[in-house]
Amino acid sequence: MAFTIVVVILTLLYLVVLELSKNMIIGWVIGILIAAAFIALRFYLKKKEKNKKGIMALCWVGFLVLFGLNLVITGPPEKQVSAVANENPEVTSVVHVNEGDLTGVYNADKSVAVYAGIPFAKPPVGDLRFKEPQKPEAWQGVRACDKFAPMAMQSRSNPFYDSLTHILGWNDYKMQIGDEFVEAMSEDCLYLNVFVPEGYKGEKLPVIMYIHGGSLNSGHPSYTEYRGEDLAKRGVIYVNCAYRVGVFGYYAADDLKAESPNGTTGDYGLLDQIAALQWVRDNIGSFGGDPDRITIAGESAGSSSVNALCASPLTEGMFQYAIGESSSILPYEPYHTYRDYDYAKAQGDIVRNEFNATSSADLRKVDAKKLVTTQSEQNAMTIDGYALTEMPYVTYERGANHEKALLNGFNGKEADVFLMGYEATKDNYVELLSKVAGDYAQEMAQVIPPTYPQRDKYFIIDQGGDAKGALDTVFSAAWFSYSHYLWSNYMVNQGKPCYEYYFTKKNNIISDYHAGELPYAYGNLWRHPGLYDESDNKLSDIMQQYWVNFVKTGDPNGEGLPRWEMKTADQTKLINLDNNIQMVEDPNLAIYDVLDKYQRDERAKRENK
């Protein structure tokens, strides 16, 4: 009896592993059969009086080996995700774009039509790897755009660890039939999605084109937190796009620069975004959109990309407004998503050495699944002389940036998740601060001491604090909010409309950590039943309308909404997005004063080289 109980317990634990690993249902069946066969064998051997320790040890080994083989063989297949959540969606009428005819699908109440997986460039494979995106090819017949295209090539964690993240971090894990798969991934990834309000009759609609985050080495536009059904219902057309990430999007080499007709290398992902923007301008009219009323938006690395698009000479006149959430590359020495060209080339040398390649042409022959395993750093833009011709701050100082109005901001606890592996103490605190403040780390420690009170929402409530909490506060400001302080100030100096927010809403998922604002602003709280309450829905409704009003007019304000004051030389407050929406002072101003000194020194070093 004890033997049977042990096998049953092990089998149940094994089934949990299969569930968390998203193995196919057949794997469950095989696992149960293996366990049943093992129990039957045990009783057979006992009946035949052959239940010797050596034989049973071999049986245990076989039992565990079969479990392991089953785990591998029945692992989750790749699958393209449906464009809408409802089953058997109704197909739209035919839409004509420059490359051919296509159809999309309707959401459940037919309020929005979704056209997913539309190619905006040729597949960047074979000889087109490490080249500027090429115009998409035409197709014959009617293309069914009812599924999201594969995500760009990237490293991704085991589904088992993803499931644990949703259990322990997001608190939104659901055990259900039908999720036994992982999303498709391919080097052939240059596709976009269009969300259109159904039944609208009138003038052409304004457009928002969203660029996803992911540190420029991960991410995909099918992610539920920034799908565009709910924003589209409010009278805009919403577009999001994929782009090459990691080594495929940001590898740089002189031989590529020499072969390029534009003398470019290292910014392929950024050029993909520009190609997507051009496709939208050329074709959005077929969906009822106005190509002269486009707003570009993004979060994290997507926001850094938006900032780069605002500074790129290639995008002049291609959009009106910009929305940036939790990043830019405007510091004199950006903390992330930007690197000097010489450093980019040095990282390119590492890639070639890793794969025994003597040239970039050799790297084009390396299988994409192998190439994505590179240990080099390939998650930053650079000045390539084409997509970016100078440091973005120089462009803004000249007033040559393109956005006519800006909505931007940051969350309360931006860096905390990224610092989970850091052990901060009073003894090593100043040393850790030097990573973001250099020689001014000691001064920073006086502004934010290692006993600094931790913040809850906008107000300081914990008067104890600790070194780790203090470190989180400084790094959140340096890595994320400081760049918005700069961005807003440039817009104010140029006399352009600028609205800045500070998101601090708590909830049962990721609260005001990095990316916490996304499902609020883009209307996707409903995808997490039971984890948001009425106060969350109320804030989301307000934020969506702010975003939509801004896309329509360059001003987020509207009837029935709390007043969001524009930033000026005299009005420096931010709007605090929480249960109580109010204008507040930026809580990080003292940190910025120290960062300004460090950044000025870094600029002087660069200019004196």
Side-chain angles (χ1 to χ4, degrees), residues 495-515:
K496 294 179 180 178
C498 175
Y499 302 86
E500 191 171 351
Y501 70 83
Y502 175 43
F503 178 87
T504 56
K505 182 70 171 74
K506 304 298 182 183
N507 55 54
N508 292 319
I509 302 188
I510 57 172
S511 292
D512 57 343
Y513 291 87
H514 189 66

Side-chain angles (χ1 to χ4, degrees), residues 272-329:
D272 291 342
Q273 297 162 15
I274 295 171
L277 179 57
Q278 185 61 60
W279 190 95
V280 171
R281 283 189 58 82
D282 293 342
N283 292 282
I284 204 64
S286 298
F287 299 89
D290 187 343
D292 293 322
R293 298 175 67 198
I294 296 173
T295 295
I296 56 173
E299 185 269 343
S300 192
S303 183
S304 291
S305 297
V306 165
N307 190 210
L309 293 176
C310 290
S312 173
L314 302 181
T315 60
E316 185 173 4
M318 293 180 69
F319 60 89
Q320 272 192 313
Y321 311 132
I323 297 174
E325 303 168 39
S326 303
S327 276
S328 87
I329 51 173

Side-chain angles (χ1 to χ4, degrees), residues 441-498:
Q442 187 65 56
E443 183 176 345
M444 184 70 79
Q446 293 173 357
V447 172
I448 306 293
T451 55
Y452 185 73
Q454 300 220 32
R455 288 175 296 166
D456 181 33
K457 302 183 181 178
Y458 178 66
F459 302 99
I460 295 173
I461 63 169
D462 177 4
Q463 297 303 315
D466 57 40
K468 183 59 167 58
L471 190 76
D472 290 343
T473 298
V474 174
F475 273 64
S476 290
W479 282 352
F480 297 99
S481 61
Y482 179 64
S483 64
H484 291 284
Y485 165 77
L486 298 174
W487 202 347
S488 293
N489 285 345
Y490 277 122
M491 294 294 285
V492 169
N493 291 338
Q494 293 172 9
K496 294 179 180 178
C498 175

Side-chain angles (χ1 to χ4, degrees), residues 546-562:
Y546 277 147
W547 263 238
V548 167
N549 288 347
F550 181 79
V551 172
K552 291 179 177 180
T553 67
D555 183 340
N557 293 291
E559 185 177 353
L561 297 175

Side-chain angles (χ1 to χ4, degrees), residues 485 488-500 563-574 583 585:
Y485 165 77
S488 293
N489 285 345
Y490 277 122
M491 294 294 285
V492 169
N493 291 338
Q494 293 172 9
K496 294 179 180 178
C498 175
Y499 302 86
E500 191 171 351
R563 180 70 184 173
W564 188 342
E565 297 293 339
M566 186 174 74
K567 292 199 78 171
T568 67
D570 298 321
Q571 197 303 101
T572 60
K573 290 184 177 181
L574 326 175
M583 300 300 296
E585 292 290 351

Side-chain angles (χ1 to χ4, degrees), residues 158-177:
N158 187 288
F160 179 83
Y161 297 113
D162 286 341
S163 296
L164 288 181
T165 298
H166 281 274
I167 292 172
L168 302 175
W170 290 73
N171 305 312
D172 66 345
Y173 186 84
K174 291 184 293 184
M175 184 175 175
Q176 57 188 4
I177 301 296

Side-chain angles (χ1 to χ4, degrees), residues 81 96 111 193 243 285 299 326 397 442 448 457 574 589:
V81 177
H96 181 76
S111 59
N193 313 303
Y243 57 95
E299 185 269 343
S326 303
E397 287 179 349
Q442 187 65 56
I448 306 293
K457 302 183 181 178
L574 326 175
L589 290 175

